[in-house]
Amino acid sequence: MFGSYSSLYIMRKAILLLFLFGLSFQNFLAQKNYQKEFRQVDSILGSHYDQKKPGIAVAIIKEEKTIYKNQIGMADLEQEISISDSTAFHIASVSKQFTAFLALLLEKEGKLSMSDDIRKYLPELKDLPFKINLYQLANHTHGLPNLNELAHLIGIGPQDRMTHKEAIKMLLNIKTTNFKPGEKYEYNNTGLALLAEIIERVEEKSFQQALKDKVFEPSGMMRSNAVDSPALIVKNKAHSYKLEHGTYVNYPFNLKSNGSTGISTTINDMGKWASMFQNPSPEAKEIFQEMQKPTKLNSGKVVQYGLGLEFKNYKGLNLVFHGGGDSGYRSYILHVPKFQFSVVILGNNNDFTPLEVVYQIVDTFLKDHLKEPLPPKKTHYTERELKSFEGTYEMFPGTYYNIIAESDTLYFQSYGTKDKAPLPVIGDGEFLFPYIPTAKLSFYKNGFIFHIADFKYDCEKITLETIRPEEVKFTDFTGLYKNEELNSIFELVIQDAVLMAKHCSDEDIVLQPLAKDSFYSRKSFFGKLDFIRNTQGKIVKFKVSGQNLKDIEFVRIHD
């Protein structure tokens, strides 16, 4: 009996060994099939990064398995600590998909409804003029002003610290919207930050703990956390850097807002998230499908953004992706669902290189499935044809550009300046903007789209009044102006024959006359000021508009 048991045991062990050897051999063959591609990716990374400089962590996931992983560069230049697969990176707006996933999970549990009015959970926003639902918070159609620009209006700049709780306190005082909810898609951070606050209230625990309990731990992401304060210590942290005059300097990220940003994670953990996206549980699959539904505006126009995820077609491939960037941190996650192929990139240098690298990786691995775009039909323009593009264009209130045609060249010029920069022709109404990597201008009738990375900014042709400073009586506008909701005061003064806006916590802002009672500045959060006079003709207030801001009112409290 013992002898036959021993034979059975030996036979089973032999079969198990053969099975394991078969799996190993299959994995070896799979790895071997990609050896050429792996070497090409090594070469791509080596051409962009240096072991002694800020760098990058990369993972490629195929059919749930991480088939490639590499790290190049330094996580900490001062301590000379290299990036590893356990280095924690701030992933900026890639955080948004985790907030959306958690909100949809809570909806399945019956704790909230994405169709609800946000005032059901945030009664502090009772003075809002319109209903905004939770979907609109997550798909950027809510119309609320952006928290980053609002922070600037109270004097919080890149060098200043702001916690998530302080950001939420500021947001809960909002009383106006930039537009009627659902009318436009306007990417910003306010919506997902407020969604994180709603999650805290329905879960009756911190957003960090809710995310850990319901998303991170079930996904095996044990090194991931939501960081809500600049004071918190993050173990194995990659520091943020930027290059200034040939030298790397610290570029700290001090404005913390959970929900829209704030997650700290590793390349290993993000690989697990990508793997779960490729082969989710039935419940997670339903949630990911909901997140991938394009947004439909009130007009019926469809926007290729869902709930924390974006979509596009790249060389014939349907992609699901999202990028992130705060200070020197850069992150990107891209999926090609048809081939169960994903790329994750985490970096700590303030540049556009990760975006270039991720698409070079897609080109390398999926080259046999790519369809190169057709060559442009029109690649040369006469001066007369270029003249049709000429004009002044508004990107945001206060941010204006001149397009100028001279000879056979189109030029780009910031409004109010003398310098102009040539725009090389790409073709079919498109012109390269070589001064920012990945940027270009695509013209349409009376406008152009300014493409920068994955962002598209609509710039419409406008007519601006021409007014000289000597035609404006600056003394009409001087005084103290206060916004009650933000509890913020600006003083307008005349300094060196120029009207200036001063704030106790920020740099002075030069105001240039735009029209009789309007000024503009070079600051996107303080782009355009429209002054209001009373019946006696005296200035009583101004409304400031800019990037992700519209008509924020400051009332004159003292001449």
Side-chain angles (χ1 to χ4, degrees):
M1 183 124 181
F2 180 82
S4 66
Y5 173 81
S6 178
S7 299
L8 183 61
Y9 172 77
I10 291 169
M11 185 173 67
R12 285 178 174 172
K13 187 173 182 181
I15 292 171
L16 178 61
L17 287 171
L18 284 170
F19 175 72
L20 293 174
F21 175 77
L23 285 180
S24 299
F25 187 64
Q26 287 175 1
N27 288 336
F28 171 76
L29 287 176
Q31 294 287 323
K32 186 177 180 181
N33 287 340
Y34 288 117
Q35 290 308 308
K36 180 181 177 182
E37 286 81 359
F38 294 159
R39 288 193 297 270
Q40 287 178 301
V41 176
D42 288 341
S43 178
I44 291 168
L45 297 180
S47 68
H48 289 290
Y49 294 97
D50 187 305
Q51 290 288 7
K52 297 300 181 182
K53 297 177 181 178
I56 197 167
V58 179
I60 301 172
I61 301 90
K62 181 82 170 74
E63 296 172 352
E64 303 175 63
K65 305 295 182 184
T66 298
I67 62 171
Y68 177 92
K69 189 166 59 175
N70 197 2
Q71 307 88 40
I72 297 179
M74 305 297 289
D76 187 332
L77 290 176
E78 292 177 84
Q79 302 299 321
E80 295 187 332
I81 300 172
S82 297
I83 296 170
S84 71
D85 60 5
S86 61
T87 298
F89 289 85
H90 168 78
I91 61 171
S93 288
V94 172
S95 306
K96 289 178 169 67
Q97 61 196 273
F98 294 96
T99 308
F101 185 95
L102 178 54
L104 290 169
L105 183 61
L106 294 177
E107 182 177 46
K108 282 185 167 294
E109 294 177 0
K111 295 181 178 179
L112 56 79
S113 171
M114 296 295 288
S115 300
D116 281 340
D117 188 329
I118 63 173
R119 292 171 292 195
K120 175 180 177 181
Y121 308 96
L122 305 173
E124 297 94 330
L125 295 173
K126 63 183 183 301
D127 294 326
L128 286 177
F130 306 108
K131 172 187 174 180
I132 299 170
N133 63 42
L134 275 64
Y135 279 118
Q136 291 166 332
L137 290 183
N139 64 22
H140 307 289
T141 62
H142 49 78
L144 297 169
N146 189 30
L147 73 87
N148 300 72
E149 279 71 46
L150 290 175
H152 274 297
L153 285 179
I154 63 174
I156 302 295
Q159 73 283 354
D160 302 306
R161 292 188 164 199
M162 186 180 223
T163 66
H164 173 70
K165 287 297 181 187
E166 290 168 337
I168 292 298
K169 182 179 179 181
M170 176 184 70
L171 295 180
L172 291 177
N173 286 315
I174 293 175
K175 291 182 171 59
T176 61
T177 62
N178 297 342
F179 52 85
K180 186 176 180 180
E183 280 192 353
K184 288 175 60 179
Y185 165 83
E186 190 174 79
Y187 184 92
N188 77 23
N189 286 327
T190 294
L192 275 297
L194 289 176
L195 188 55
E197 176 67 14
I198 290 171
I199 289 170
E200 282 203 356
R201 295 185 182 191
V202 300
E203 279 290 271
E204 298 182 336
K205 63 175 69 170
S206 72
F207 176 74
Q208 294 94 320
Q209 192 62 48
L211 202 57
K212 181 179 179 181
D213 292 345
K214 294 191 176 286
V215 180
F216 289 151
E217 287 189 352
S219 305
M221 300 172 67
M222 310 308 291
R223 299 293 308 280
S224 301
N225 297 284
V227 180
D228 66 350
S229 169
L232 287 182
I233 293 173
V234 177
K235 293 181 179 179
N236 296 329
K237 174 182 176 180
H239 292 268
S240 167
Y241 300 100
K242 66 177 175 179
L243 194 63
E244 280 190 357
H245 310 298
T247 302
Y248 283 101
V249 298
N250 287 308
Y251 191 14
F253 178 58
N254 290 325
L255 198 163
K256 302 294 184 182
S257 61
N258 284 164
S260 58
T261 178
I263 288 177
S264 171
T265 188
T266 68
I267 198 69
N268 284 342
D269 274 11
M270 285 301 293
K272 293 174 183 176
W273 180 249
S275 178
M276 191 180 91
F277 180 89
Q278 291 179 1
N279 186 24
S281 67
E283 183 178 54
K285 184 177 181 179
E286 289 181 8
I287 293 174
F288 280 131
Q289 287 174 341
E290 185 69 23
M291 291 169 67
Q292 293 175 72
K293 291 180 180 178
T295 293
K296 194 171 185 179
L297 302 181
N298 298 342
S299 64
K301 179 183 177 182
V302 174
V303 178
Q304 295 303 305
Y305 192 102
L307 304 176
L309 291 173
E310 296 186 67
F311 338 106
K312 68 179 175 184
N313 187 278
Y314 172 77
K315 297 182 179 180
L317 299 177
N318 290 322
L319 306 183
V320 179
F321 66 97
H322 211 290
D326 282 325
S327 300
Y329 293 111
R330 296 291 182 267
S331 57
Y332 210 89
I333 183 167
L334 177 149
H335 309 286
V336 188
K338 181 178 179 180
F339 297 102
Q340 286 199 299
F341 181 86
S342 303
V343 183
V344 182
I345 290 184
L346 308 177
N348 64 335
N349 188 18
N350 177 39
D351 62 15
F352 286 88
T353 305
L355 188 67
E356 298 172 8
V357 168
V358 74
Y359 286 95
Q360 288 175 342
I361 290 174
V362 172
D363 290 347
T364 297
F365 276 82
L366 300 176
K367 56 183 177 295
D368 294 336
H369 307 283
L370 301 179
K371 296 177 182 177
E372 292 297 331
L374 295 173
K377 294 178 180 179
K378 187 171 182 60
T379 58
H380 176 74
Y381 293 87
T382 64
E383 182 176 3
R384 183 177 179 179
E385 289 172 327
L386 291 175
K387 287 287 184 183
S388 67
F389 300 125
E390 277 195 325
T392 299
Y393 296 79
E394 181 184 70
M395 188 176 193
F396 312 114
T399 302
Y400 310 112
Y401 302 120
N402 294 326
I403 300 296
I404 303 165
E406 290 181 0
S407 187
D408 61 349
T409 303
L410 203 64
Y411 292 90
F412 179 94
Q413 181 185 66
S414 290
Y415 184 79
T417 66
K418 294 182 179 179
D419 293 336
K420 58 183 187 292
L423 299 172
V425 177
I426 298 174
D428 295 340
E430 291 194 337
F431 294 79
L432 187 67
F433 192 81
Y435 317 101
I436 300 175
T438 74
K440 67 178 181 180
L441 278 62
S442 302
F443 284 87
Y444 60 89
K445 187 177 181 180
N446 295 323
F448 67 81
I449 304 295
F450 202 151
H451 303 260
I452 304 175
D454 291 320
F455 293 101
K456 297 179 182 179
Y457 300 102
D458 202 346
C459 302
E460 295 185 359
K461 187 180 285 190
I462 59 171
T463 300
L464 293 177
E465 293 183 44
T466 55
I467 188 167
R468 297 189 304 274
E470 55 268 26
E471 297 179 69
V472 181
K473 188 179 178 183
F474 287 167
T475 53
D476 282 359
F477 306 95
T478 58
L480 295 176
Y481 296 80
K482 183 177 182 180
N483 177 275
E484 290 291 343
E485 291 78 26
L486 298 172
N487 191 28
S488 181
I489 294 176
F490 278 90
E491 183 180 12
L492 271 57
V493 302
I494 301 170
Q495 186 173 306
D496 298 326
V498 174
L499 190 64
M500 307 279 288
K502 292 177 173 285
H503 193 283
C504 63
S505 301
D506 208 345
E507 300 176 350
D508 295 348
I509 302 172
V510 176
L511 301 177
Q512 301 284 355
L514 189 64
K516 180 177 177 289
D517 287 332
S518 295
F519 290 76
Y520 74 99
S521 84
R522 305 263 177 234
K523 300 289 186 180
S524 62
F525 70 92
F526 215 68
K528 184 184 178 207
L529 277 65
D530 293 310
F531 288 85
I532 312 297
R533 297 178 184 267
N534 62 15
T535 54
Q536 289 76 44
K538 182 180 179 179
I539 298 292
V540 292
K541 60 186 173 183
F542 70 77
K543 293 182 179 182
V544 62
S545 301
Q547 181 176 1
N548 276 320
L549 291 175
K550 184 178 181 183
D551 293 340
I552 304 296
E553 191 170 276
F554 282 78
V555 176
R556 196 174 194 174
I557 58 174
H558 196 280
D559 292 351

